[in-house]
């Protein structure tokens, strides 16, 4: 295993063993250590991808800790490196993180612009190399688009995005994504006063979560 592969494994390990469990302070500390090592690597596309991935994770952690300005700064830096790497899926993922942060900051128009760029990148990537990551990215981009549109009061458009996301994510059996799509739809139905549809959607969310937990 070369140095870059080893670093990638370490980032993924921090993600799944620390960040996902909610220990954000420890995750940030570990990511910053790894980032220092990446900076010492010779310039290459591989280095740019690692810089982007690590900075994106730091942006997520900072966002979770409520450090929104720091999160945005790291996300914008991550985007620079993702663009340098030339990898469309990487660029799309960073754009989603940045869009999510801007959504939190209630900069909805800017957030929507970034999420639409991400959708285009995932579509282009899939045309070139039809892989799971590109389809999943497109589905999650639609989910975020639905949430942003709902925050903007564009209920009909939000419903359309959520339903399209549901179709895409059902196609690859991405259960967490499917649950998320139904959650956006439940919010849409709530805002629109369509209470029976909201009730049925919430029942489906409950069923899916029970199956996911093995219950």
């Amino acid at each position: 295993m070369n140095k870059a592969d080893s670093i990638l494994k370490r980032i993924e390990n921090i993600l799944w063993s620390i960040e996902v469990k909610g220990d954000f302070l420890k995750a940030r500390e570990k990511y910053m250590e790894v980032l220092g090592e990446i900076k010492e690597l010779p310039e290459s596309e591989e280095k740019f991808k690692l810089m982007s991935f690590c900075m994106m994770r730091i942006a997520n952690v900072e966002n979770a800790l409520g450090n929104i300005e720091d999160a945005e700064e790291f996300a914008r830096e991550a985007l620079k490196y993702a663009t340098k790497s030339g990898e469309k899926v990487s660029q799309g993922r960073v754009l989603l993180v940045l869009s999510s942060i801007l959504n939190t900051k209630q900069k909805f128009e800017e957030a929507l612009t970034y999420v639409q760029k991400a959708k285009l990148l995932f579509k282009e990537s899939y045309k070139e190399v039809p892989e799971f990551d590109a389809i999943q990215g497109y589905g999650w981009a639609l989910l975020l688009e639905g949430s942003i549109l709902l925050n903007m009061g564009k209920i009909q458009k939000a419903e359309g995005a959520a339903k399209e996301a549901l179709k895409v994510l059902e196609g690859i059996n991405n259960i967490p994504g499917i649950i998320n799509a139904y959650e956006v739809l439940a919010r849409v139905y709530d805002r629109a006063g369509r209470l029976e549809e909201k009730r049925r959607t919430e029942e489906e969310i409950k069923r899916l979560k029970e199956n996911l937990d093995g219950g």
Side-chain angles (χ1 to χ4, degrees):
M1 188 184 292
N2 66 28
K3 179 80 171 170
D5 287 340
S6 171
I7 288 172
L8 178 60
K9 291 283 183 195
R10 281 176 60 201
I11 297 171
E12 288 173 343
N13 187 51
I14 296 163
L15 168 58
W16 296 111
S17 67
I18 303 173
E19 183 186 340
V20 167
K21 291 178 180 175
D23 193 347
F24 301 121
L25 288 171
K26 187 178 178 184
R28 180 175 64 184
E29 180 191 333
K30 294 291 181 187
Y31 285 138
M32 293 299 267
E33 284 175 13
V34 174
L35 188 62
E37 288 183 37
I38 299 168
K39 286 177 179 177
E40 292 174 9
L41 293 173
E43 298 292 286
S44 66
E45 281 184 13
E46 212 167 21
K47 176 182 179 174
F48 300 146
K49 277 194 276 187
L50 288 172
M51 287 288 286
S52 169
F53 186 29
C54 194
M55 285 182 162
M56 181 179 76
R57 299 294 356 134
I58 296 169
N60 261 343
V61 167
E62 294 289 12
N63 198 27
L65 288 167
N67 303 326
I68 310 299
E69 297 303 327
D70 289 340
E72 184 178 347
E73 191 178 325
F74 273 105
R76 289 190 186 280
E77 278 297 304
L79 183 57
K80 285 180 194 173
Y81 284 104
T83 305
K84 270 184 167 184
S85 79
E87 194 175 86
K88 288 176 182 173
V89 168
S90 294
Q91 290 173 61
R93 283 174 174 162
V94 178
L95 283 166
L96 290 188
V97 172
L98 184 54
S99 179
S100 180
I101 292 163
L102 292 166
N103 186 35
T104 303
K105 292 180 78 175
Q106 299 189 346
K107 293 184 175 180
F108 302 129
E109 292 289 351
E110 194 179 354
L112 200 58
T113 301
Y114 283 123
V115 87
Q116 286 166 349
K117 282 182 184 174
K119 278 169 61 182
L120 194 60
L121 284 163
F122 288 127
K123 266 188 171 178
E124 286 173 359
S125 177
Y126 183 75
K127 281 177 188 171
E128 291 163 17
V129 187
E131 287 182 347
F132 176 87
D133 286 348
I135 306 170
Q136 180 177 256
Y138 185 68
W140 281 88
L142 284 163
L143 282 179
L144 183 53
E145 184 178 39
S147 289
I148 296 164
L149 288 165
L150 192 57
N151 288 339
M152 295 171 82
K154 297 181 178 181
I155 295 170
Q156 200 171 348
K157 285 185 176 179
E159 182 179 358
K163 283 183 172 175
E164 192 183 344
L166 186 60
K167 188 177 173 184
V168 170
L169 294 162
E170 280 179 338
I172 55 170
N173 198 33
N174 185 311
I175 303 299
I178 293 166
I179 291 169
N180 203 314
Y182 277 122
E183 285 172 343
V184 175
L185 281 170
R187 286 170 56 209
V188 166
Y189 298 144
D190 184 56
R191 289 278 291 276
R194 290 153 64 183
L195 301 183
E196 178 57 26
E197 285 169 284
K198 181 193 173 192
R199 185 189 64 76
R200 287 202 304 268
T201 303
E202 286 174 341
E203 282 179 1
E204 185 62 14
I205 292 166
K206 186 182 175 188
R207 185 189 69 79
L208 285 163
K209 283 183 174 176
E210 283 170 355
N211 288 345
L212 198 61
D213 296 335

